[in-house]
Amino acid sequence: MALFDFLKSSILSKIAMAVTGLLLVLFIVGHMVGNLQVFLGRDVFNTYAHFLQSLGELLWVIRFALFATLVVHIISSIRVKLLNAGAKPVKYSIKKYVKATWFGRSMLLTGITVFIFLAYHLAHFTIGAVDPSNFHFDEVYGPNGMFVRHDAWLMVVMGFKQPIVALLYIAGVILLGFHLNHAIQSMFQTLGWNHPKYFPTIEKSSVVFSVIIVLLYMTIPVSILLGLVGGNL
Ligand code: HEM
């Protein structure tokens, strides 16, 4: 009975939400570090992309795990929200610590927008459906040009040379930043780590973290658009 009560309670959803949220943040940071290698040149970036592709079946396991993490995160976040709304007809006094910003109230909206951005992004760089003419590039590499691999660097550069594409990504990562900032703060609140003494620090750290993520991601489309990367092409 205790186990049944536990599964029904919001505690399990809260744990699931926090753990999957943390995993997604780790992915976002890792993916960003990987992508920033675009500044280290074509060879370094393509070696990294080639390494990921060479993982073969393991890559599919990682992709599946990532997708499952995202699904569990969405479901558990919605469940926690609904359980909280149902359980507390009278608002928390704690509520005041998380500022009732427009984006705070619009987690669902920014969440959906980030989801749409992600779908567009996968169709663009992973499936190649958005811009097929700038997807299939090959790079000849190795001693005496012995090998051929996917030229992911050129794909990214040719993608972001188009202002509309670069602007879409800039908008996408800004929305991701708003979502991330509020999600981190609300996770701390949900888990009960919202002591008035520490919450302002949590709030500031979350803003700083989200701004750094947004700015670093943005450097990629902005630098390519300004011709600082791939300007000679
Ligand atoms: C300037 C920003 C970004 C750039 C340049 C970029 C670049 C890329 C590239 C080149 C790929 C294809 C990897 C491959 O299939 O070989 C990719 C895949 C992916 N990206 Fe991004 N990305 C950016 C932002 C983001 C953001 C903000 C997110 C998350 C919200 C994200 C999530 C993903 C996911 C989930 C995949 C699929 C991974 C896979 O299929 O293995 N990306 N990205």
Side-chain angles (χ1 to χ4, degrees):
M1 244 352 188
L3 179 69
F4 185 67
D5 286 344
F6 176 68
L7 291 175
K8 249 178 56 183
S9 75
S10 65
I11 299 169
L12 191 67
S13 295
K14 284 179 185 179
I15 295 170
M17 182 198 66
V19 171
T20 53
L22 196 66
L23 289 174
L24 291 171
V25 169
L26 286 178
F27 168 78
I28 286 169
V29 173
H31 189 51
M32 184 190 73
V33 172
N35 285 330
L36 285 173
Q37 295 181 70
V38 82
F39 294 108
L40 300 179
R42 195 177 203 153
D43 185 50
V44 173
F45 190 78
N46 284 346
T47 302
Y48 163 68
H50 188 68
F51 162 73
L52 290 181
Q53 290 302 324
S54 71
L55 294 176
E57 280 172 12
L58 182 61
L59 180 63
W60 281 102
V61 173
I62 296 170
R63 281 173 170 167
F64 179 78
L66 198 58
F67 181 71
T69 305
L70 185 65
V71 170
V72 172
H73 184 70
I74 293 170
I75 293 173
S76 56
S77 307
I78 292 173
R79 188 155 190 268
V80 166
K81 206 98 204 141
L82 291 177
L83 287 170
N84 279 353
K88 287 180 248 101
V90 181
K91 282 193 164 56
Y92 261 142
S93 57
I94 288 162
K95 264 254 150 84
K96 65 175 181 275
Y97 297 118
V98 172
K99 285 195 188 103
T101 57
W102 184 85
F103 279 102
R105 287 191 301 268
S106 309
M107 275 298 277
L108 191 62
L109 195 65
T110 55
I112 291 170
T113 338
V114 169
F115 195 79
I116 293 172
F117 164 72
L118 192 59
Y120 165 79
H121 177 49
L122 295 184
H124 186 202
F125 283 155
T126 302
I127 303 170
V130 168
D131 190 8
S133 58
N134 287 318
F135 184 66
H136 291 289
F137 294 117
D138 282 334
E139 186 202 22
V140 179
Y141 74 106
N144 312 317
M146 277 160 64
F147 307 108
V148 174
R149 65 185 170 190
H150 176 54
D151 197 340
W153 183 87
L154 190 59
M155 171 185 78
V156 171
V157 168
M158 295 313 280
F160 293 153
K161 268 183 179 290
Q162 304 164 70
I164 182 78
V165 176
L167 288 175
L168 273 173
Y169 272 79
I170 291 167
V173 293
I174 290 175
L175 280 162
L176 173 71
F178 281 118
H179 187 77
L180 209 57
N181 175 40
H182 192 80
I184 293 170
Q185 293 179 24
S186 96
M187 184 190 80
F188 276 94
Q189 176 173 282
T190 304
L191 295 176
W193 301 333
N194 53 357
H195 191 281
K197 205 169 144 194
Y198 307 113
F199 202 74
T201 312
I202 291 172
E203 209 173 25
K204 278 191 203 104
S205 313
S206 138
V207 172
V208 171
F209 175 78
S210 307
V211 168
I212 290 174
I213 294 284
V214 171
L215 290 179
L216 287 177
Y217 262 116
M218 264 172 61
T219 56
I220 302 169
V222 169
S223 307
I224 294 171
L225 200 57
L226 296 177
L228 302 174
V229 174
N232 53 341
L233 294 168

